[in-house]
Amino acid sequence: MNDASQATAATAANVPTLLVKIFGKDRPGITAGLFETLARFQVNVIDIEQVVTRGRIVLCALVPAPAGRSVEGELRATVHAWAESMRLQAEIISGIGDNRPRGEGRSHVTVLGHPLTAESTAAIAARITGAGGNIDRVFRLAKYPVTAVEFAVSGVATDLLRPALALEAHERGVDVAVVSAGLHRRAQRLVVMDVDSTVIQDEVIELFAAHAGCEDQVAEVTAAAMRGELDFEQSLHARVALLEGLDESVIDKVRQEVRLTAGARTLIRTLKRMGYQVGVVSGGFTQVTDDLKERLGLDFAAANTLEIVDGKLTGRVTGEIVDRAGKARLLRRFAAEAGVPLSQTVAIGDGANDLDMLNAAGLGVAFNAKPVVRRAADAAVNVPFLDTVLYLLGITREEVEAADAGDGGTARA
């Protein structure tokens, strides 16, 4: 800040100001009417804030107090008369200077509830205050399929605020994400997702196993691997071995059986419209992820590959194994190819083999995840709608629907 700017700021901090508050039933023309009224007194505008909730408006304007008691008195009387003519209420409060500066450390705190109760909201707000933060603004991002609200918080470092709110969220049964504020939030990003039980509702290897008659055996090993109780690579080889002899025609059947998670198409479609790049990494198989890449318009896809010889599955996989470490490695590779810093990446997953990827990303999101994953992730979403991740990025439901309408689509999938 140069000397002139510092002098201006110092002067502004000490000048008498008026906070003009208007509230009542909303209708067109209120904002223009208030400032047309204030314009008669040739005042500048220091700050404006307006909120409309269920048809009721609260409009605040901060302006310098006019010189001279008589002129200020005339301004007050004129504003009150205008408000009365509009069937509104007015309050004018004298003070000194602008709003106090926001504290160091700014974060966006997104809270998802299904429903969002007054009790949980109070608890989250109290935790923010207890951590030394101040709530500067609150607004709603979505009202369905969950209620999502965002708190703009200052005065406390994001890294200190996140664990405090994670604990409260767990106790209250709501989802909370805390990300640092700044230009990076609106920058182009790369979003990389796990596939099984994240982008899709199924475990692909169990779909194959059902055709081989060994679904129960495979499901038991899969569950243990996702809990982190078994080495993923060993469990992968053990499960794939049970598929030996299956005809390759089963691949088309499995592709048709795959069920997308609710909101998956909406999430991917919205991210792509915003210029994001989107990819998937899977401990499953390229025979399915390549199909998903084409169907969903993904930029990246990587998974293990089932070996096929003479039209039959051999019970082995070929090429590089995509395991826990492999997923994090692929995230870094995709980020480099996309030209996106790792700090601007978002990773989403549900199992223990996603942990390295979630920790490596700028924002790691646990989606309906195992407890060990929820505890380690930056944010957790525990509702069955994948597109709620959009709210963690500050995207509102209205923005999603407006984009759908403009593109001729209204279905949510």
Side-chain angles (χ1 to χ4, degrees):
M1 184 181 291
N2 59 36
D3 293 341
S5 298
Q6 290 177 332
T8 300
T11 301
N14 295 314
V15 300
T17 53
L18 299 177
L19 175 60
V20 181
K21 296 175 62 179
I22 303 297
F23 41 97
K25 185 177 180 180
D26 187 33
R27 63 178 68 85
I30 291 176
T31 305
L34 172 62
F35 286 98
E36 287 169 358
T37 302
L38 293 172
R40 301 177 198 175
F41 299 89
Q42 298 183 331
V43 295
N44 297 324
V45 177
I46 299 173
D47 196 4
I48 308 172
E49 189 81 25
Q50 178 173 309
V51 177
V52 177
T53 305
R54 211 183 66 178
R56 309 293 291 184
I57 187 171
V58 178
L59 170 60
C60 296
L62 186 66
V63 300
R69 289 182 176 274
S70 61
V71 180
E72 180 181 328
E74 184 180 351
L75 181 150
R76 288 173 176 269
T78 303
V79 170
H80 280 287
W82 168 81
E84 186 176 349
S85 73
M86 296 289 290
R87 296 183 180 179
L88 299 167
Q89 293 179 278
E91 182 180 7
I92 303 176
I93 304 170
S94 298
I96 299 295
D98 196 350
N99 302 314
R100 64 183 178 86
R102 294 181 180 180
E104 292 295 324
R106 299 182 186 178
S107 305
H108 297 285
V109 177
T110 307
V111 183
L112 309 179
H114 190 54
L116 181 62
T117 66
E119 180 182 14
S120 59
T121 305
I124 294 297
R127 279 280 186 172
I128 293 172
T129 303
N134 184 71
I135 299 172
D136 300 317
R137 188 177 179 221
V138 184
F139 62 96
R140 186 175 68 184
L141 293 167
K143 59 183 178 181
Y144 72 91
V146 299
T147 301
V149 296
E150 182 172 291
F151 295 76
V153 177
S154 62
V156 59
T158 301
D159 290 344
L160 296 177
L161 186 60
R162 184 179 288 136
L165 293 185
L167 178 62
E168 193 65 50
H170 177 72
E171 294 178 358
R172 301 292 174 177
V174 296
D175 297 333
V176 173
V178 184
V179 298
S180 59
L183 291 176
H184 64 276
R185 199 179 190 215
R186 288 294 183 181
Q188 185 187 54
R189 289 187 177 184
L190 167 69
V191 178
V192 176
M193 298 176 283
D194 173 45
V195 175
D196 294 9
S197 299
T198 301
V199 175
I200 66 174
Q201 300 177 47
D202 313 282
E203 292 288 334
V204 167
I205 196 166
E206 293 178 12
L207 296 179
F208 277 101
H211 292 279
C214 56
E215 185 176 9
D216 291 343
Q217 293 169 267
V218 166
E220 185 178 342
V221 177
T222 299
M226 293 301 99
R227 292 193 299 267
E229 298 170 1
L230 294 176
D231 173 82
F232 179 81
E233 184 172 351
Q234 290 179 337
S235 72
L236 174 68
H237 289 305
R239 288 175 292 172
V240 171
L242 297 171
L243 307 181
E244 182 181 1
L246 273 179
D247 191 88
E248 67 176 336
S249 63
V250 78
I251 293 171
D252 287 333
K253 296 177 182 178
V254 167
R255 287 173 175 173
Q256 294 172 12
E257 292 166 353
V258 164
R259 300 167 299 165
L260 291 175
T261 298
R265 286 188 185 277
T266 300
L267 171 66
I268 295 166
R269 182 173 63 238
T270 303
L271 291 173
K272 295 291 292 179
R273 285 172 178 162
M274 295 180 65
Y276 285 39
Q277 297 188 61
V278 185
V280 294
V281 292
S282 175
F285 310 110
T286 57
Q287 283 84 354
V288 172
T289 57
D290 287 350
D291 181 61
L292 288 173
K293 181 182 179 183
E294 183 177 349
R295 286 167 53 194
L296 299 174
L298 300 170
D299 299 285
F300 304 98
N304 300 297
T305 299
L306 291 169
E307 184 181 62
I308 300 174
V309 176
D310 296 330
K312 302 288 185 179
L313 274 64
T314 66
R316 296 186 296 271
V317 293
T318 63
E320 182 182 14
I321 296 297
V322 179
D323 56 6
R324 175 169 168 168
K327 287 188 174 185
R329 185 169 58 251
L330 286 162
L331 171 70
R332 294 186 177 93
R333 183 189 304 172
F334 293 167
E337 293 177 11
V340 174
L342 202 60
S343 62
Q344 291 300 116
T345 61
V346 180
I348 308 169
D350 73 300
N353 67 330
D354 297 315
L355 279 172
D356 289 2
M357 176 177 71
L358 298 183
N359 290 330
L363 176 65
V365 180
F367 179 72
N368 291 309
K370 313 301 184 290
V372 65
V373 182
R374 291 200 302 269
R375 288 193 295 268
D378 297 322
V381 172
N382 295 301
V383 293
F385 311 109
L386 191 56
D387 54 337
T388 55
V389 173
L390 292 169
Y391 310 143
L392 307 186
L393 306 178
I395 302 166
T396 68
R397 190 76 211 170
E398 287 78 6
E399 289 172 322
V400 175
E401 292 177 349
D404 281 344
D407 198 39
T410 56
R412 179 174 180 275

